[in-house]
């Protein structure tokens, strides 16, 4: 059956509604601006990468390929792979501009290292681009992108609360709840597909890790996507996370 593909866009307004309610309470009732710059920078990052993902989806074409089954007969082809990899790069600019995060990082077996300007100018863009592309690779089944994103961001949100980092918790938990609402329609049998929401999920995870200064914990949470990266690397990123469509409509791994 035909299913709407860009339904993941609904998650972003849900997330923004929650964040703006928090900002309104902070400003009108407590006259506080604490963490506001980081929040607005993350919002800008999310909106930029949402637009980029939309452009990638809306400009893609259907290409015929070998195969007899419906799922194998056509493939959606968008921009070139190298351009798709670089697509999230502009989304890192707001976080770079506000020098989000702490320049000192704890390296296993070495200790704390202050990277200075290398952190905002190099590590932040690498984090956004890398995380966005990684989450975009692992998907294809009903609920997989939104479900994994929900678990990852819920974990980051709880960890942030335990550390007393309100801003990181706000972003993580608000986006995770928005994903949970989307899962109601994206769970099997899916009534709507997320489109390139996968780019956004990775950007949110990276943004939270940067602002919350919890890169090491984020790597643990991000482990499934890291493993998938190396699995796809074996085929030079030509492998896909789709099953084979059976006659009874079931996907076989």
């Amino acid at each position: 059956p035909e299913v709407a593909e860009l339904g993941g866009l609904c998650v972003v307004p849900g997330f923004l509604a929650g964040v703006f309610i928090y900002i309104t309470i902070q400003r009108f009732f407590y006259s506080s601006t604490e963490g506001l710059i980081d929040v607005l920078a993350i919002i800008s990052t999310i909106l930029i990468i949402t637009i980029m993902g939309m452009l990638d989806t809306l400009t893609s074409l259907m290409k015929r390929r070998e195969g007899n089954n419906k799922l194998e007969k056509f493939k959606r082809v968008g921009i070139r792979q190298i351009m798709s990899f670089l697509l999230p790069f502009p989304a890192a600019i707001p976080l770079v501009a506000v020098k989000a995060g702490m320049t000192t990082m704890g390296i296993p077996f070495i200790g704390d290292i202050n990277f200075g300007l290398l952190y905002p100018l190099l590590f932040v863009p690498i984090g956004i681009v890398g995380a966005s592309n990684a989450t975009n690779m692992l998907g294809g089944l009903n609920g997989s992108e939104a479900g994994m994103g929900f678990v990852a961001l819920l974990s980051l949100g709880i960890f942030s609360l335990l550390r007393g980092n309100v801003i990181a918790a706000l972003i993580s938990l608000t986006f995770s709840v928005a994903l949970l609402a989307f899962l109601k329609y994206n769970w099997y049998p899916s009534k709507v597909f997320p489109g390139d929401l996968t780019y956004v999920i990775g950007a949110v995870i990276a943004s939270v890790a940067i602002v919350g200064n919890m890169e090491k914990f984020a790597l643990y949470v991000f482990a499934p996507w890291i493993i998938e990266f190396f699995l796809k690397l074996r085929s030079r990123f030509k492998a896909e996370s789709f099953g084979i469509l059976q006659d009874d409509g079931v996907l076989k791994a």
Side-chain angles (χ1 to χ4, degrees), residues 15 42 45-46 49 128 131-132 153 156 171-172 175-176 199-210:
F15 160 75
I42 292 175
T45 291
I46 292 172
I49 205 164
I128 297 295
S132 300
L153 287 166
L156 287 168
I171 302 298
S172 302
F175 205 92
S176 67
Y199 279 118
V200 183
I201 292 173
V204 175
I205 293 174
S207 299
V208 168
I210 292 166

Side-chain angles (χ1 to χ4, degrees), residues 3-13 50-60 76 182 191-197:
V3 178
E5 186 171 349
L6 273 176
L9 290 176
C10 300
V11 175
V12 176
T50 299
I51 294 172
M52 295 295 180
M54 286 177 59
L55 292 174
D56 186 21
T57 300
L58 294 175
T59 57
S60 60
R76 187 174 291 278
F182 175 72
K191 298 180 180 66
V192 62
F193 293 149
D196 280 321
L197 173 68

Side-chain angles (χ1 to χ4, degrees), residues 20-35:
F20 285 137
I21 289 172
Y22 170 84
I23 293 175
T24 301
I25 293 172
Q26 285 293 94
R27 289 294 297 137
F28 280 81
F29 293 94
Y30 299 100
S31 299
S32 174
T33 58
E34 184 178 356

